[in-house]
Amino acid sequence: MKLYKTNSIKVYNSLSRSKEIFKPINDGIIGMYVCGPTVYNNVHLGNVRTFMSFDMIYRYFLHLGYKVRYVRNITDAGHLTDDDSEDKIATKARIEQLEPMEIVQKYTVDFHTILDRFNFLPPSIEPTATGHIVEQIEAIKTILDNGLAYESNGSVYFDVLKYNEDEHYGILSGRNMEDVLTNTRQLDGQSEKKNPQDFALWKKASPEHIMRWPSPWGIGFPGWHLECTVMSTKYLGETLDIHGGGLDLKFPHHECEIAQAKACNHKNPVNYWMHTNMLTLNGQKMSKSTGNSILPGEILSGENSILNKPFSAGVTRFFCMQAHYRSILDFSSDALEASEKGFNKLMEAILSLKKITPVKESKLDIALWRQKCYTAMNDDFNTPILIAHLFEGVKFINLLVEGKITISEGDLEILTSTMNSFVFDVLGLQSHMSSDDTAGEDKLSGVVEMLIDMRKIARENKEWALSDKIRDELLTLGIQLKDGKEGTTFSVN
Ligand code: AMP
Ligand code: ZN
């Protein structure tokens, strides 16, 4: 039987501002859309934290036996700079003197490389904005036909006040029209809009703007919010189960997505809106534009003055998972060092599981412990509580290794599979002592033991030159032989 049948998950829905029992539209199948990166920059650790939270959620659904279609897009056009004057990718292309698509390629490769190093599962579909211009134009036509947008000087804007007559623009972020107005800056091109809170569905391209497509309203490019509406609808339907992103996307991006979708088909586009909290550095949101950021690659190399030393991808992932995805997490080298200690303890315990010999009688309630792990994850993916339970597992393992308690064969199997499932499959932690490495270490020990035996034979035959050669050459490889009363042992430096 699939595990999801016996595990009911509660998800915090940003729309209702409460935890709700998660019920997918189709039994056993989940559609999840997560806003992907705008590929004009290297991803920083804050971005990685958000995508990692959704990777963990995706992994847990898969672990429970759900069939998941996970769509995470790549924004390669339409995301305007903060002053709304230009496309972020086009701006970067000018600065780096590259084609916009070279910028897109460069930073998409960086994004994939980083996610791979941090052991992410790839999404089921990774669509791009530029690959869906036709769909975006069609959606704009529908919104115009429904009277909720207007054309102005070659651009098309969403009519927020008109929409607000029947719907609530601000339903997700909890804003009313006054809040929206006070938060809307007076920007260039504003005069084209009927009202300052209106947002662009299509922008007219100035002659020097390189990213441009023909449309019924002239040459231009789509507004940022629209791509997610059309791609989520195309691949997951008019109403989908989960839509996610960082908290900073709630307004205006996700608010606009809801308005666009309703303006197209009058349906609520998403059942569960999930938002991850921010990674901070020095108490401030990590952000590339303010320079308050650290790159994931710098953590692996240690090449950033914030860091006392380098840290592995597994430790970094563990550090992120020690906080709940809806809590703020502050980054520091000391915090990573503390995580490293915990991470090593966890990995060592998993390795020593092999040393435990089961007996008939168990002195542990392993089934209860396993259930506590699931209960933590079922409560809105509470990874810090899960990790606390995994450390209870570490305590059991250490007591078992020391022979202070006993475990039956069946319970040892449950202990081992539960530790492995949650640590590797769900949290996605990789170990530098992973099973592949362990196999490598086993082979190395076998070869060194064989050489020790051959050296022993050489010594018995008084072939001193050969015996010394074996010892010295192993030493140059960092393997030191030690002769003692019990025979010869070795250590790897
Ligand atoms: P962007 O490429 O700017 O659209 O960001 C990609 C994702 O990273 C979005 O879901 C953002 O909400 C998220 N994000 C940006 N900064 C942070 C941060 N400091 N901590 C966590 N997530 C972030
Ligand atoms: Zn989006």
Side-chain angles (χ1 to χ4, degrees):
M1 195 173 61
K2 302 275 193 199
L3 281 170
Y4 66 76
K5 296 207 189 271
T6 50
N7 282 278
S8 159
I9 301 181
K10 272 192 183 161
V11 166
Y12 183 88
N13 190 349
S14 304
L15 196 59
S16 65
R17 294 168 192 80
S18 63
K19 279 187 205 169
E20 294 174 15
I21 302 274
F22 175 68
K23 198 172 176 318
I25 299 163
N26 300 302
D27 194 33
I29 302 174
I30 296 172
M32 177 162 94
Y33 186 93
V34 172
C35 294
T38 305
V39 281
Y40 72 108
N41 243 333
N42 297 104
V43 278
H44 59 65
L45 194 66
N47 306 130
V48 171
R49 180 191 181 201
T50 281
F51 297 125
M52 194 183 284
S53 297
F54 288 106
D55 183 63
M56 170 274 293
I57 291 167
Y58 178 43
R59 284 166 171 275
Y60 187 54
F61 284 142
L62 293 179
H63 171 73
L64 293 184
Y66 281 108
K67 188 165 182 271
V68 188
R69 181 179 290 170
Y70 174 24
V71 182
R72 190 186 61 213
N73 70 301
I74 295 277
T75 296
D76 58 352
H79 198 165
L80 299 182
T81 47
D82 290 343
D83 63 359
D84 254 11
S85 63
E86 214 185 356
D87 187 299
K88 287 189 177 188
I89 288 161
T91 311
K92 196 64 185 291
R94 228 192 21 251
I95 296 167
E96 292 198 20
Q97 297 193 326
L98 292 170
E99 276 290 318
M101 278 299 139
E102 282 181 288
I103 293 290
V104 164
Q105 177 70 6
K106 180 174 169 185
Y107 294 110
T108 303
V109 167
D110 169 72
F111 177 61
H112 287 152
T113 309
I114 292 298
L115 263 49
D116 204 39
R117 287 168 96 176
F118 284 80
N119 203 27
F120 279 63
L121 295 180
S124 328
I125 306 178
E126 199 171 45
T128 60
T130 55
H132 297 76
I133 300 289
V134 173
E135 289 85 345
Q136 296 186 71
I137 291 175
E138 287 307 307
I140 298 170
K141 284 189 203 162
T142 309
I143 300 174
L144 280 167
D145 286 349
N146 291 342
L148 290 165
Y150 56 91
E151 190 187 345
S152 175
N153 188 30
S155 294
V156 181
Y157 293 97
F158 191 93
D159 192 338
V160 172
L161 287 186
K162 184 86 190 297
Y163 170 81
N164 213 41
E165 287 171 10
D166 298 322
E167 298 282 354
H168 174 196
Y169 181 79
I171 190 170
L172 180 66
S173 54
R175 294 172 194 224
N176 59 31
M177 212 32 75
E178 259 172 44
D179 302 330
V180 173
L181 254 182
T182 34
N183 283 305
T184 310
R185 290 154 299 162
Q186 293 294 325
L187 298 164
D188 237 22
Q190 204 85 275
S191 55
E192 289 178 4
K193 299 184 190 177
K194 277 196 208 166
N195 295 294
Q197 57 273 60
D198 295 347
F199 58 88
L201 298 173
W202 187 263
K203 284 283 268 188
K204 178 183 179 174
S206 55
E208 66 279 8
H209 199 285
I210 326 172
M211 303 185 82
R212 51 208 289 130
W213 291 267
S215 80
W217 317 286
I219 302 283
F221 57 96
W224 170 40
H225 313 304
L226 197 56
E227 60 172 276
C228 289
T229 300
V230 305
M231 293 189 282
S232 62
T233 310
K234 177 163 179 165
Y235 299 109
L236 299 168
E238 288 180 342
T239 301
L240 55 103
D241 295 307
I242 295 176
H243 188 128
L247 258 183
D248 55 346
L249 296 188
K250 209 194 244 185
F251 187 88
H253 185 54
H254 291 159
E255 201 71 73
C256 295
E257 277 190 47
I258 295 177
Q260 291 166 158
K262 286 197 172 172
C264 280
N265 57 40
H266 313 288
K267 282 193 189 152
N268 177 23
V270 174
N271 285 343
Y272 303 89
W273 281 96
M274 294 185 74
H275 291 100
T276 55
N277 214 326
M278 295 292 109
L279 184 71
T280 57
L281 181 62
N282 303 314
Q284 301 289 319
K285 178 188 165 188
M286 196 173 280
S287 154
K288 199 74 204 294
S289 57
T290 57
N292 188 45
S293 68
I294 181 159
L295 299 180
E298 292 171 341
I299 296 175
L300 303 178
S301 67
E303 283 164 10
N304 187 311
S305 55
I306 305 166
L307 298 169
N308 301 330
K309 65 187 217 53
F311 295 94
S312 72
V315 168
T316 313
R317 203 170 164 115
F318 184 66
F319 162 73
C320 291
M321 292 294 133
Q322 279 180 301
H324 187 254
Y325 78 87
R326 283 192 294 115
S327 306
I328 289 177
L329 175 62
D330 195 49
F331 179 90
S332 72
S333 194
D334 288 350
L336 268 181
E337 260 178 74
S339 293
E340 188 172 50
K341 289 196 182 102
F343 175 84
N344 287 342
K345 261 192 207 156
L346 190 60
M347 293 301 159
E348 278 159 22
I350 289 179
L351 274 183
S352 58
L353 272 163
K354 285 188 197 143
K355 295 186 201 153
I356 299 167
T357 319
V359 293
K360 275 205 183 108
E361 285 259 324
S362 233
K363 289 271 180 280
L364 288 166
D365 194 342
I366 287 294
L368 178 70
W369 166 78
R370 175 176 57 180
Q371 191 45 51
K372 285 198 275 186
C373 294
Y374 281 99
T375 305
M377 286 302 284
N378 294 343
D379 183 15
D380 195 28
F381 312 97
N382 201 324
T383 53
I385 304 276
L386 167 70
I387 290 172
H389 294 315
L390 293 177
F391 275 100
E392 206 185 325
V394 169
K395 210 164 78 191
F396 295 156
I397 295 168
N398 292 339
L399 288 172
L400 286 161
V401 171
E402 289 164 21
K404 293 192 175 144
I405 52 173
T406 57
I407 193 165
S408 68
E409 196 173 340
D411 278 355
L412 181 59
E413 258 171 43
I414 297 175
L415 178 63
T416 306
S417 68
T418 307
M419 288 299 281
N420 283 332
S421 298
F422 280 107
V423 170
F424 300 117
D425 302 346
V426 176
L427 296 178
L429 300 175
Q430 319 120 286
S431 160
H432 32 265
M433 301 176 271
S434 70
S435 52
D436 283 356
D437 290 349
T438 317
E441 279 169 23
D442 287 351
K443 280 189 193 144
L444 177 70
S445 309
V447 172
V448 178
E449 294 295 351
M450 187 178 78
L451 286 165
I452 289 174
D453 280 349
M454 288 171 75
R455 179 165 166 266
K456 191 163 164 250
I457 297 167
R459 282 160 69 115
E460 281 163 7
N461 294 338
K462 300 200 167 42
E463 293 176 43
W464 308 117
L466 179 59
S467 117
D468 289 350
K469 187 175 163 64
I470 292 171
R471 185 196 59 207
D472 295 345
E473 292 206 358
L474 280 173
L475 193 60
T476 58
L477 293 170
I479 298 164
Q480 189 174 15
L481 300 187
K482 285 175 215 139
D483 296 316
K485 275 191 208 134
E486 311 279 304
T488 305
T489 56
F490 74 95
S491 61
V492 183
N493 302 317

